[in-house]
Amino acid sequence: MARGHSRWRWTLAVAGGLLLLAAAAAGWGWWQLRGSLPVLDGALPVSGLTAPVTITRDALGVPTIAGTARIDVARATGFLHAQDRFFQMDILRRRGAGELSELFGAAAVELDKSARLHGFRRLAAQVIAQATPAEQAVLAAYTAGVNAGLAALPKSPWEYLVLRATPQPWREADSLLCVYAMWFDLQDYTGAFELNREALRSALGQAGLDFLAPPGNSWDAALDGSKFPPAPLPPLRFLPAAPPAAGLATAEPVGRRVVGSNAFALSGAHTATGAALLANDMHLDLNLPHIWYRAVLQWTDDAGPRRVVGVTLPGLPFMVVGSNGRVAWGFTNAYADTTDVINVATEITANSFYQTPDGWKEIEERPEEIRVKGDQPVPFTARWTRWGPIIDGPKNGRARVLRWTAHDADSTNLHFLDMETTRTTAEAVALAHRASFPNENMFIADAAGDIAWTILGRLPRRVGHDGRVPVAWTYGDRRWDGYLSAEEIPVVGTLPGSLPAADAVSKAGALWSGNNRPLGGPAGALLGDSGYDEGARAGQIRDDLHALIATGKKAAPADLLAIQLDDRAVFLARWQKFLLEVLTDDAVAGHPARAELRAAVQAWGGHASPDAVAYRVVRNFRLHAAERALAPFIAPAQAGYAAFNWRSLPYEDALWQLVHERPERLLNPAHASWFALLLAAVDDVTADVAQAGGSLARFTWGARNTLAMRHPLSRFLPRPLAHLLDMPADPLAGDSDMPRVQGPRFGQSERLVVSPGHEDQALFHMPGSQSGHPLSPFYRAGHDAWVKGEPTPLLPGAARHTLTLTPP
């Protein structure tokens, strides 16, 4: 018995010791985390300041940065970005440079190789050298501020504790690398757009390409009202021995994703204040820390006091989207065509030379070394031609080369700093044609009531081809002849000189974009196409604006926020009616699951709301019908190009035409009839329900569209700790073909509605929070309002914290 008691006491002692060790480890971890919290109050000396800068923060952590000079405000902005978001900045610069492997190890090597191919660190130095002295001064002050903010943290940012790494100082070129990271995020840097279309044309002919990937469609909502009629059925015939049939779905289908945004504006003729009214919600991946950092910048110059409010991108010294009191601006991804895949003839033996209009030239080799955490460096060599890097080959005397505007140093600059002090829409348009970064639809609204749309960023002038499929530039008859001049870039709005074709739009006083084709005719041809959205989303915004104008009501910010939150399923309404036509009495007889689906679809609410069963059913039916109907078109294209992505195609008109005209020669050979194909798509949906748990009542849109906004490090932590990092898994309203764009990991990264000069009435939402630190009082602050769509002000509230940065 004594021996048993002794063993029990020993076990208790060991357990107690382990608990003490665990508690000590947890306390040490908590202490380390606390040590990396930003400084919120007091005074800190910062070298380089010409005068004190005051930083106040409200209950959400939104800072107002007030200094006597813009350069001091830039230094303080860098200080705050480093204190709150240095890890995010580090990831961005490493993505732009291809240096993620130094932080994350071998898992990031292939991604780094894809970035190194483009040589952006080399280009970043050229961009800085070409900047104006004023731009260089702001960038230098910002960079010094970043390093001061990082040094002022008692401990390194907490993410480096988890990664067992040391943060590296910020360099001026790193800010440009953050811009280049956005080039990767927003544009086609692999040539996939043209390679997809080439695969279609090779497999199905030009008629097949025009059918499945038309330059426009019936849903277009162009600013000039231009339309493209549906293409005719292609002269094809699918024989019974043709491509294997699609079977029942093994997972819910995936819809088309367009990286982009919404932006729209009303002229002062239609607003309560007489100033123009701008709305902008940019659609990006939803990660933690969140991409945007809210701020108010205040300083005084020769023109008097300045105040700029909006969102910054940590890593950059200027306001990305916002209002300066006279002019407000916002963006959507332009999808103008800024890349071309070039077919190049190469020497067959050594593959060291390629053919140009000036004869054979040697391929330039650019060797680099990718440093890898915990492993040996990986050698990498980018091979370049006069037109750009080789993206495929050389093999058998052929190679593919990517021509991309981003490869020209002049295509990225810091001129957008001047947006903070523009006074009119006309000045802002002129700046848009002088500034350059990834091409955007820029929407401008001013205090006098004017509005405008134009393209920011350089656009190539093509000769001899339209850029839709790869071509050879060997003989000089196909090429880029420089870039469009400012006078050639189209402008639509209330200003004199807008496109004549858009007069009706100008007079109506409304502008809109949902990443759709903005123009047709010669102006549209100049812009080109690199994957416009089909137009349903933009059309719904346009119709919402026109309906608002028709009421005669003078619009306020809440009216445009309501459009941003519009989750009506206009695009799928006809598919709901069509599905009921398919689910006839004969079709459901003896099929209880089909009958249950029909009852659910009959209860259509017309919204992509979290509780909507019918919306999810109809959406899945359309996507399954597309998988089955388009399978014989897709298979030969995939056979020729393994990376072929049919879901990126604007195929809605083609699909609707197929399932209504039902040509026997274009029927998927796996099905006896078109009606049998459609019923198979219905049964695919019943399979989706079964895989989701079997209860149709629980097959809601919110159960699928559940927020998964996670920190990249949470996957490495135990679940209880991961929950502290990640945002709540809330069911969300919205989808991709309506104004309220929303997916689990993608969607409205902010919502802004503002009239310049009336910022006190402006509204703003943002997911995540200002802070990237889970112990910060601001972590998750404001996130719930974004989820619920509750109006919250753009301007910060009362100051809760005050920090003064002083010259030493």
Side-chain angles (χ1 to χ4, degrees):
M1 180 70 70
R3 190 175 300 167
H5 279 297
S6 175
R7 187 181 297 113
W8 179 245
R9 285 195 298 271
W10 181 84
T11 301
L12 287 176
V14 169
L18 290 174
L19 286 173
L20 285 173
L21 285 173
W28 179 85
W30 182 85
W31 177 73
Q32 290 286 332
L33 281 175
R34 291 284 303 174
S36 61
L37 278 168
V39 180
L40 302 180
D41 296 286
L44 287 174
V46 173
S47 296
L49 288 175
T50 64
V53 176
T54 301
I55 301 167
T56 59
R57 302 193 197 224
D58 71 353
L60 300 182
V62 179
T64 297
I65 307 169
T68 58
R70 179 64 180 90
I71 199 167
D72 285 344
V73 170
R75 195 176 299 268
T77 302
F79 184 95
L80 285 183
H81 281 173
Q83 292 249 309
D84 279 326
R85 302 284 194 88
F86 187 80
F87 179 68
Q88 172 192 353
M89 298 163 62
D90 195 8
I91 296 299
L92 273 179
R93 68 172 169 178
R94 290 179 182 277
R95 174 67 181 110
E99 297 168 358
L100 288 166
S101 300
E102 294 182 29
L103 203 57
F104 296 104
V109 167
E110 291 307 312
L111 186 60
D112 279 350
K113 287 180 179 180
S114 72
R116 292 290 182 100
L117 183 67
H118 301 278
F120 285 147
R121 184 168 281 286
R122 178 187 305 191
L123 273 180
Q126 295 180 41
V127 173
I128 293 172
Q130 295 171 185
T132 67
E135 292 164 355
Q136 291 176 346
V138 168
L139 182 60
Y142 175 82
T143 301
V146 170
N147 291 321
L150 185 61
L153 291 171
K155 299 288 183 182
S156 293
W158 68 271
E159 295 93 342
Y160 296 92
L161 172 67
V162 176
L163 292 170
R164 291 182 294 175
T166 302
Q168 299 302 306
W170 196 257
R171 293 173 286 182
E172 291 175 22
D174 293 338
S175 289
L176 277 303
L177 289 169
C178 291
V179 178
Y180 283 119
M182 297 308 293
W183 278 99
F184 283 138
D185 201 31
L186 297 173
Q187 297 204 357
D188 176 18
Y189 65 94
T190 65
F193 177 86
E194 291 186 25
L195 295 173
N196 260 320
R197 279 149 181 77
E198 180 188 53
L200 264 183
R201 190 176 67 174
S202 298
L204 306 176
Q206 186 65 41
L209 172 62
D210 294 341
F211 183 63
L212 283 179
N217 61 62
S218 62
W219 288 91
D220 278 342
L223 292 172
D224 60 0
S226 58
K227 293 277 188 182
F228 283 80
L233 295 170
L236 303 171
R237 179 176 295 277
F238 301 130
L239 303 176
L248 284 177
T250 57
E252 281 201 55
V254 177
R256 186 178 188 229
R257 176 181 130 157
V258 175
V259 177
S261 310
N262 296 330
F264 43 103
L266 289 174
S267 71
H270 303 298
T271 69
T273 63
L277 188 58
L278 172 79
N280 187 206
D281 48 283
M282 296 178 282
H283 308 156
L284 295 166
D285 289 324
L286 301 177
N287 298 312
L288 292 169
H290 188 52
I291 186 168
W292 305 121
Y293 186 86
R294 298 177 63 180
V296 179
L297 311 180
Q298 295 181 178
W299 72 97
T300 301
D301 59 20
D302 293 342
R306 302 283 190 180
R307 182 179 72 172
V308 187
V309 56
V311 295
T312 64
L313 176 67
L316 297 181
F318 53 77
M319 196 69 70
V320 176
V321 163
S323 176
N324 66 18
R326 294 184 177 183
V327 177
W329 66 96
F331 297 116
T332 74
N333 198 19
Y335 285 97
D337 191 359
T338 58
T339 62
D340 274 323
V341 176
I342 305 169
N343 296 325
V344 175
T346 61
E347 181 191 30
I348 295 177
T349 52
N351 286 321
S352 298
F353 291 84
Y354 66 100
Q355 192 174 10
T356 77
D358 302 320
W360 290 88
K361 302 294 181 182
E362 188 172 5
I363 294 172
E364 177 192 356
E365 295 198 346
R366 300 180 179 180
E368 298 194 29
E369 185 177 83
I370 300 174
R371 288 179 290 184
V372 183
K373 179 183 176 182
D375 211 334
Q376 294 298 312
V378 174
F380 174 77
T381 299
R383 307 191 74 194
W384 274 67
T385 69
R386 63 163 59 175
W387 299 302
I390 295 174
I391 60 173
D392 185 30
K395 183 179 180 182
N396 299 324
R398 297 291 173 190
R400 307 268 201 179
V401 169
L402 185 72
R403 181 72 174 100
W404 186 17
T405 58
H407 293 147
D408 295 338
D410 289 340
S411 294
T412 301
N413 60 45
L414 296 172
H415 300 341
F416 200 72
L417 271 165
D418 291 345
M419 191 66 214
E420 298 173 348
T421 56
T422 56
R423 298 167 297 176
T424 66
T425 292
E427 286 185 10
V429 167
L431 176 61
H433 298 163
R434 186 167 58 86
S436 196
F437 46 73
N439 302 76
E440 298 286 326
N441 294 302
M442 185 169 177
F443 280 71
I444 305 160
D446 70 21
D450 280 320
I451 56 175
W453 161 91
T454 192
I455 297 287
L456 180 146
R458 301 214 302 171
L459 296 168
R461 182 185 290 105
R462 286 183 174 81
V463 174
H465 67 115
D466 63 7
R468 285 179 60 76
V469 294
V471 296
W473 288 17
T474 306
Y475 304 106
D477 55 335
R478 297 165 178 170
R479 65 187 188 279
W480 287 5
D481 186 13
Y483 290 88
L484 300 183
S485 66
E487 293 73 25
E488 293 174 284
I489 298 174
V491 179
V492 178
T494 58
L495 297 176
S498 289
L499 284 175
D503 275 349
V505 173
S506 303
K507 291 172 183 174
L511 296 170
W512 59 87
S513 171
N515 309 111
N516 55 302
R517 178 178 60 83
L519 299 169
L526 285 176
L527 301 181
D529 175 11
S530 67
Y532 292 124
D533 195 32
E534 287 191 285
R537 171 163 50 98
Q540 195 163 332
I541 294 170
R542 174 201 61 201
D543 294 345
D544 284 347
L545 288 171
H546 288 169
L548 178 61
I549 291 172
T551 66
K553 177 185 177 182
K554 298 297 184 180
D559 297 308
L560 268 59
L561 175 63
I563 296 176
Q564 291 178 317
L565 298 174
D566 182 4
D567 60 11
R568 291 176 302 124
V570 174
F571 179 69
L572 285 183
R574 67 179 185 176
W575 283 95
Q576 183 262 347
K577 295 175 183 176
F578 180 56
L579 178 52
L580 290 179
E581 293 172 8
V582 172
L583 290 171
T584 62
D585 290 343
D586 288 341
V588 303
H591 296 275
R594 293 180 185 173
E596 190 180 16
L597 278 186
R598 182 169 73 171
V601 174
Q602 287 171 335
W604 174 254
H607 288 259
S609 55
D611 61 348
V613 172
Y615 179 82
R616 188 175 177 183
V617 168
V618 173
R619 182 183 190 271
N620 284 18
F621 168 71
R622 174 186 173 269
L623 293 173
H624 283 307
E627 290 174 339
R628 291 182 175 275
L630 301 182
F633 295 89
I634 296 163
Q638 286 179 331
Y641 175 47
F644 179 74
N645 177 15
W646 68 273
R647 289 184 175 87
S648 69
L649 302 174
Y651 61 76
E652 172 64 12
D653 278 354
L655 178 61
W656 191 253
Q657 196 172 352
L658 285 172
V659 299
H660 282 78
E661 295 187 22
R662 304 183 186 182
E664 186 176 351
R665 62 185 175 83
L666 298 179
L667 175 64
N668 183 335
H671 300 285
S673 67
W674 278 99
F675 190 69
L677 181 149
L678 294 169
L679 284 180
V682 170
D683 293 337
D684 288 342
V685 180
T686 64
D688 294 339
V689 175
Q691 290 165 9
S695 170
L696 186 58
R698 295 181 181 177
F699 195 72
T700 62
W701 179 236
R704 172 72 186 271
N705 202 41
T706 301
L707 184 64
M709 190 172 182
R710 296 171 181 150
H711 195 284
L713 299 184
S714 70
R715 71 186 69 179
F716 304 115
L717 298 175
R719 182 169 294 183
L721 293 178
H723 285 328
L724 294 177
L725 289 181
D726 300 337
M727 291 298 116
D730 292 310
L732 300 171
D735 198 3
S736 57
D737 291 308
M738 57 193 61
R740 189 169 188 169
V741 170
Q742 189 62 65
R745 296 178 176 85
F746 180 84
Q748 294 174 319
S749 66
E750 48 73 51
R751 303 184 191 109
L752 167 69
V753 187
V754 60
S755 276
H758 302 274
E759 288 77 14
D760 58 331
Q761 302 173 27
L763 303 176
F764 186 85
H765 289 152
M766 187 174 80
S769 68
Q770 281 289 103
S771 176
H773 200 298
L775 297 184
S776 166
F778 312 126
Y779 201 71
R780 295 191 176 90
H783 174 79
D784 198 46
W786 174 83
V787 170
K788 297 176 181 177
E790 296 172 345
T792 51
L794 170 65
L795 291 180
R800 299 288 184 89
H801 301 274
T802 301
L803 173 67
T804 303
L805 305 182
T806 63

